[in-house]
Amino acid sequence: MEFENLHPQTEESSEDNNIDFRDVLDKYLIYWKWFVLSVIICVLLAILKLNFSRPVYEATSTIKIKDEKGGDKSALSAFQDLGIMSGTKENIDDEIEILKSKSIISETIKSLGLNIKFFTHKNSISSFLDNNLGMDTEFYEQERYLTPPLKLNFFVTDSALYKMNLNFIISIHSSNSFSYIDKVNDNITRHTFGEKISANGTDLIIIPNIDLKKYNLIGKNVLVQVSSLRDLTNAYLESLTIEPKAEFSSVLSMTLVDSDMRKAEDFLNELVNKYNERAIALKDELTESTSNFVTKRLEIISNELSNVDLTAENIKTRYKISDVASETGLNMQSGQAIESQIVQANMQLQQIESVKDFVSTKDDNELIPVDVGVNDNSVSGTMNQYNELMMQKKRLLETSTEKNPIVVNLNEQLKTLRSNINQGLDNLKASQTISINALNKQDARINSRLYSAPKQERQYRDIQRQQQIKEQLYLYLLQKREETAITLGVADPNAKIIDYAESYPGPIAPKKKIFYLFAIIAGLLIPFSIIYLLDALDSKVHTREEIEKVLNIPILGDIPKLEKKERFLIKKEDHSSIAEAFRILRTNLNFIIDSNIKGKTIFVTSTIAHEGKSLVSSNLATSLAHGGKKTLLLGMDIRAPKLEAYLDVRGEKGITNYIIDPSMQLEDIIVRPSNTDNLDVISSGDLAPNPSELLMNVRVKELFQKVKEEYDYIIVDTAAFSMVTDTMLLSNLADAFIYVIRANYLDKRLLKYIKTIHKEKRLPNLSLLVNGVDHKKSYGYGYGYGYGTNFDRLKKKPWHKLFSKG
């Protein structure tokens, strides 16, 4: 060990105060076995997880939502900021919500019978755990969607079946028999196929659905899962993704994730079918409402026409009128055009009144008939808008309630539109009445020319006019009824399939490479986090570097940690790491004490008890004695002496006896160990009730003056500095102080106490010694003690391995 390492770095000689990443790395690498073990465990858990996870597939489909209003939406998408296309996106969002509604998803599940699943064949790991370790994993990897092996007939209603959650195993013995295994109640019963059995509170019959022998299911188990419709609906709702291909686009991309690729494809296709069925049903409802209105009006008009025809017949019979046209002559010809207009105007007025009456008396959730004779574009447009909002409201009510904010908003809009329709019909009626009055005035002028005509002729002409009105209205309604019937028969779906559902060939999850990578990362992070947390919570001093960061005090060296909790004293031919450490300490003493001083007095102390003062004192003194130096080991820790345990020697009298008894001589208290030359020991003596006062006695100073003349080195074992004042009372007698800091024991906060002692110069010529350093947690030679460690290890190796690597 070089002497430069005795002194801490100053600001001028410091190379860099930044974090040494090699030191940080070394701090974690000493626990490399834990990292390896953690990675192995995490990888094993990943293997188990992957083997107990069914592969997941993804199916995609593309559909186009029908634009009821027509036109190219994408061409107007640039005007979104002006609010021109705001309704388009909202309409697509509404259709997406309808597609994802629980009611349609539930209907799809019912249609495909997805509430009952069959699983067969355990994988290799599951079979190994079951067959060799006696476990029952109940993990069956293969789902039988296309070829379900069994058919279950439950003796319950569909509504009750869709609420069930069952999980049981069918063990197939032959083509005719099986065992029903109820894991919940731990019950096994044997049955034949087709036999009515009672299980889990319900009755059912199980029959084969395929040739069990052909599919190699004889002697195998089949896991049957019956899931409630509510749970399945929520699960599919989470797995289903629907979004537009582009902004303002009516083309939607549908994606579903499922454990069976064919099942995912069938679900998406069936979901579109159920959506179209729902849309067609709503359109049929509108058409049927219009058809019912027209039919009722036809009945009324038919009765009125019959009454008018009967009245005309009676007048002809009563007044014997044969040919009115020939009798009226030219006067009638001039009035025909006006009469035709009056007939048309009165027909429209009656239609307006009938529609107004319907709107005023209809139910709030009832649609308004369209194309029934209201020729005003504004009113017709408002009625069409009303029906569109009403259909949207009905779709939303299938998945929500009247309290839904969207439904409340639609009700307000419908109320406003209904008021606008009534106002528009009132305006039309007033306008039509004005037109009829004007036509009647023109007709009155023509009638004045027929003043001389017979009364019978005028009566007949009025009846004929009413007859023409009823006939034209009747024919018009017949035409509308046929148009409505045609519309009802050709109602087209709301969604057009562009690309039918198709699955990716491979599973999208779990991704094994990513899973293993995550396992390795987790295996590294877990011990790293634990070590980091323990290090953050650790308040003990562990390494020499930690001391050097706080204290600007020379460090004489460090003493390795003893492998066993026992007293240790080095021997002359000892080549262990701790013996080498004390030899290096013996050498380094020459750098802190002037070689010309006679009787070099070295005090050994520490902050608190149990830091190894007695260990250092006894071994340092022994090392100096082995080096040919006449050495005295003086036990001045008169409160808790421990030197006897290390040297296995103790005099009958000691320091305390010498101080108290003036007649006692130095030779009376000196003890010489039999196995160590050049070493004398003076123990602490009898325990005194007043140690501090005792150490202030003048005989203490006289004792040190005498021994300085006779010995090369005086090693003094003192009391802990922070606990009592004993050491402070003797500090002026020391040539140097060795301050022992025990690694993994002393609190880091007490380093500030040592810093204060040094700053205030309470202890002369102070140097530090780190005790209990664990060199197994360091790399290379550490602070120079690798030789001793390697020597011990090499001694234990066979001769042919002494020159092997490592």
Side-chain angles (χ1 to χ4, degrees), residues 55-62 145-146 254-269 499-508:
V56 177
Y57 301 88
E58 183 179 76
T60 58
S61 175
T62 306
Y145 170 69
L146 293 178
M254 305 172 60
T255 305
L256 180 71
V257 175
D258 200 277
S259 59
D260 188 280
M261 61 173 65
R262 182 59 184 274
K263 183 168 62 172
E265 295 172 0
D266 292 348
F267 183 89
L268 289 179
N269 293 331
D499 293 321
Y500 283 93
E502 184 178 3
S503 299
Y504 293 104
I508 63 169

Side-chain angles (χ1 to χ4, degrees), residues 247 384 477 510 737:
E247 192 173 8
N384 287 330
L477 290 175
F737 263 91

Side-chain angles (χ1 to χ4, degrees), residues 267-320:
F267 183 89
L268 289 179
N269 293 331
E270 186 65 18
L271 181 67
V272 177
N273 292 337
K274 292 301 178 183
Y275 168 77
N276 283 332
E277 290 178 5
R278 183 73 60 86
I280 291 173
L282 289 173
K283 293 177 183 177
D284 289 346
E285 184 179 351
L286 173 60
T287 306
E288 186 176 356
S289 175
T290 303
S291 177
N292 293 337
F293 173 80
V294 172
T295 301
K296 291 180 181 179
R297 290 300 301 161
L298 276 172
E299 292 177 359
I300 296 172
I301 297 301
S302 178
N303 293 332
E304 292 178 352
L305 183 58
S306 298
N307 293 331
V308 172
D309 289 343
L310 183 60
T311 302
E313 182 182 352
N314 292 335
I315 290 177
K316 282 186 176 183
T317 303
R318 181 179 177 183
Y319 296 108
K320 299 179 181 180

Side-chain angles (χ1 to χ4, degrees), residues 333-349:
Q333 291 180 3
S334 60
Q336 284 181 354
I338 298 299
E339 291 176 354
S340 177
Q341 295 179 26
I342 293 175
V343 169
Q344 186 68 27
N346 277 284
M347 183 187 71
Q348 291 184 6
L349 180 61

Side-chain angles (χ1 to χ4, degrees), residues 745-756:
Y745 185 77
L746 184 68
D747 196 300
K748 292 179 181 178
R749 292 168 292 185
L750 290 176
L751 293 178
K752 295 181 179 180
Y753 175 74
I754 303 174
K755 185 176 183 180
T756 302

Side-chain angles (χ1 to χ4, degrees), residues 21 38 139 193 220 265-266 296 314 334 377 386 392 485 568 573 579 607 623 628 670 677 725 739 768 774 785:
F21 289 99
S38 178
F139 179 77
F193 287 113
K220 301 295 179 61
E265 295 172 0
D266 292 348
K296 291 180 181 179
N314 292 335
S334 60
N377 291 333
Y386 180 91
Q392 184 178 355
F568 178 85
E573 299 300 327
T607 306
S623 177
I670 292 177
D677 297 333
T725 61
Y739 204 105
L768 303 179
D774 190 356
Y785 307 132

Side-chain angles (χ1 to χ4, degrees), residues 241-261:
T241 303
I242 304 176
E243 56 187 13
K245 279 284 190 179
E247 192 173 8
F248 310 117
S249 173
S250 59
V251 178
L252 302 180
S253 174
M254 305 172 60
T255 305
L256 180 71
V257 175
D258 200 277
S259 59
D260 188 280
M261 61 173 65

